[in-house]
Amino acid sequence: MTISQAVANVCKVSGMTNSRLITSNNSIESKEIYLLGTDCVIKSQVSLAAYTSYRVGGPAEWCVAPRNLEALQASIQFAKTHELPVTILGAGSNLLVSDCGIPGLVVVTRHLRHSHFDLETGQLTVAAGDPIPSLAWQIAERGWQGFEWAVGIPGTIGGAVVMNAGAHNSSIADILVSAQVLLPDGSLETLTREQLSYSYRTSILQGSDRIVTQATFQLQPGANPTEVLAATKQHKEHRLNTQPYHLPSCGSVFRNPKPHAAGWLIEQTGLKGYQIGKAQVALRHANFIVNCGGASASDIFNLIHHVQHQVQQRWSIPLEPEVKMLGEFQAA
């Protein structure tokens, strides 16, 4: 069983599937599989367009959206039993799914949520499926500082920990204490910030078969909630005023090739507004590619490659995608 972590998270395996829905040779027949001891249903051929912020993507061969750890554990055991590759999705906000879809089992973790505020230590422990924007507002309402910058990041905690999400010169690495991960043998391990080897928009978890289940952050309680809310609102307004959130996108498409900004390089190359099919380099911010309505994943993929080629020709600077691509793609 291989695991692809797009934005995500799980826990140790347990439980078994309903055996009457599995054939004697261990192959899968049913279009719906009920996992024993849970309220969880694995469905076949589920469109993933609704699960990505781009609103594109083909079907998952199998898809499940567990609402608790027990259901999640059973889902992972199901994949292990049937030797299915696993792809784990959170908010699907930093993701481009192929029009061909994704083979194996896609586990949608956005319904897995819990949080614990420790008043004595100022630490917050939160599940990997919790959405970042709503969490930022909850933290601000308590008068806790340190997470205001994250309010405009449209993802989940799991994905943010994996990719070291950041904004406004701050990042997850600045506040992370530890992350709990699931190992391939089913055991859980707690990794410190130092062990995650964070750097710009990356960690050792990227490309790894370890999966984030929860994370603990060090924040600063005791501030005036009104002031923290005002700072959070300011960060949110800045995002809305400078980035094209009125159209489906994945957020920033390319990593900034420091000391340059990817958006500036793209704009100076004359690509603002350039379009392939219904995919367009955003007019408001050139490091965004937006779905103008009816775009395919192939439109977006080909536009990404066109931008890379043009910037490389003009500046001799390679642009590395920040967006994670899942499934099969073929350049035009």
Side-chain angles (χ1 to χ4, degrees):
M1 178 182 69
T2 59
I3 297 176
S4 175
Q5 182 160 323
V7 181
N9 313 294
V10 307
C11 198
K12 74 172 186 179
V13 297
S14 66
M16 275 301 299
T17 58
N18 188 334
S19 59
R20 69 181 177 83
L21 296 176
I22 309 299
T23 62
S24 59
N25 65 358
N26 210 40
S27 64
I28 306 171
E29 278 190 339
S30 176
K31 292 186 180 299
E32 290 191 353
I33 298 173
Y34 295 81
L35 300 180
L36 289 179
T38 77
D39 59 357
C40 204
V41 182
I42 297 177
K43 299 180 180 181
S44 67
Q45 297 301 308
V46 175
S47 172
L48 293 174
Y51 292 101
T52 70
S53 59
Y54 255 135
R55 298 294 181 259
V56 301
E61 182 180 7
W62 296 95
C63 185
V64 64
R67 293 183 173 274
N68 55 56
L69 285 178
E70 290 74 23
L72 179 58
Q73 292 166 354
S75 300
I76 299 303
Q77 180 62 59
F78 171 85
K80 184 176 181 180
T81 298
H82 297 285
E83 300 181 347
L84 296 174
V86 174
T87 300
I88 302 181
L89 297 183
S93 59
N94 192 42
L95 190 66
L96 180 62
V97 173
S98 164
D99 296 316
C100 299
I102 301 177
L105 178 65
V106 174
V107 181
V108 179
T109 62
R110 63 182 63 180
H111 301 303
L112 299 172
R113 305 179 185 182
H114 68 75
S115 59
H116 173 69
F117 290 81
D118 190 322
L119 295 176
E120 292 186 3
T121 64
Q123 292 185 355
L124 166 64
T125 298
V126 59
D130 274 270
I132 295 171
S134 60
L135 183 64
W137 289 115
Q138 293 174 37
I139 293 170
E141 287 171 354
R142 289 174 173 262
W144 286 35
Q145 295 175 305
F147 210 73
E148 300 92 320
W149 57 271
V151 68
I153 297 176
T156 57
I157 287 296
V161 168
V162 170
M163 69 169 289
N164 190 20
H168 307 289
N169 297 315
S170 298
S171 68
I172 287 294
D174 298 331
I175 58 174
L176 186 83
V177 175
S178 63
Q180 186 184 75
V181 298
L182 173 68
L183 300 180
D185 64 3
S187 64
L188 292 171
E189 181 182 16
T190 298
L191 299 176
T192 65
R193 175 177 54 193
E194 291 73 23
Q195 290 173 312
L196 290 171
S197 300
Y198 275 129
S199 58
Y200 177 71
R201 300 295 180 269
T202 190
S203 74
I204 63 168
L205 295 174
Q206 285 189 317
S208 165
D209 51 11
R210 289 176 285 191
I211 302 168
V212 177
T213 61
Q214 67 180 30
T216 298
F217 302 103
Q218 182 64 61
L219 302 172
Q220 295 81 49
N224 185 329
T226 302
E227 294 178 358
V228 185
L229 283 167
T232 303
K233 182 180 179 181
Q234 185 177 13
H235 285 301
K236 180 66 173 181
E237 289 177 346
H238 179 267
R239 282 248 169 173
L240 293 175
N241 291 334
T242 59
Q243 299 178 0
Y245 282 106
H246 61 296
L247 291 172
S249 79
C250 70
S252 296
V253 175
F254 301 103
R255 297 181 180 185
N256 289 320
K258 293 181 177 180
H260 305 284
W264 184 88
L265 292 171
I266 297 167
E267 182 175 353
Q268 295 303 309
T269 308
L271 291 173
K272 256 192 178 183
Y274 188 88
Q275 194 162 328
I276 293 179
K278 293 295 184 179
Q280 181 189 62
V281 177
L283 293 168
R284 183 172 292 181
H285 194 307
N287 197 19
F288 280 62
I289 290 176
V290 295
N291 180 352
C292 293
S296 66
S298 293
D299 290 339
I300 298 167
F301 177 80
N302 288 325
L303 185 51
I304 288 172
H305 276 259
H306 179 77
V307 170
Q308 286 177 304
H309 177 70
Q310 293 298 313
V311 170
Q312 177 71 41
Q313 278 199 324
R314 172 74 184 275
W315 303 97
S316 297
I317 296 176
L319 288 181
E320 182 181 355
E322 188 170 306
V323 57
K324 183 180 177 105
M325 301 178 197
L326 293 180
E328 295 184 2
F329 291 89
Q330 187 171 10

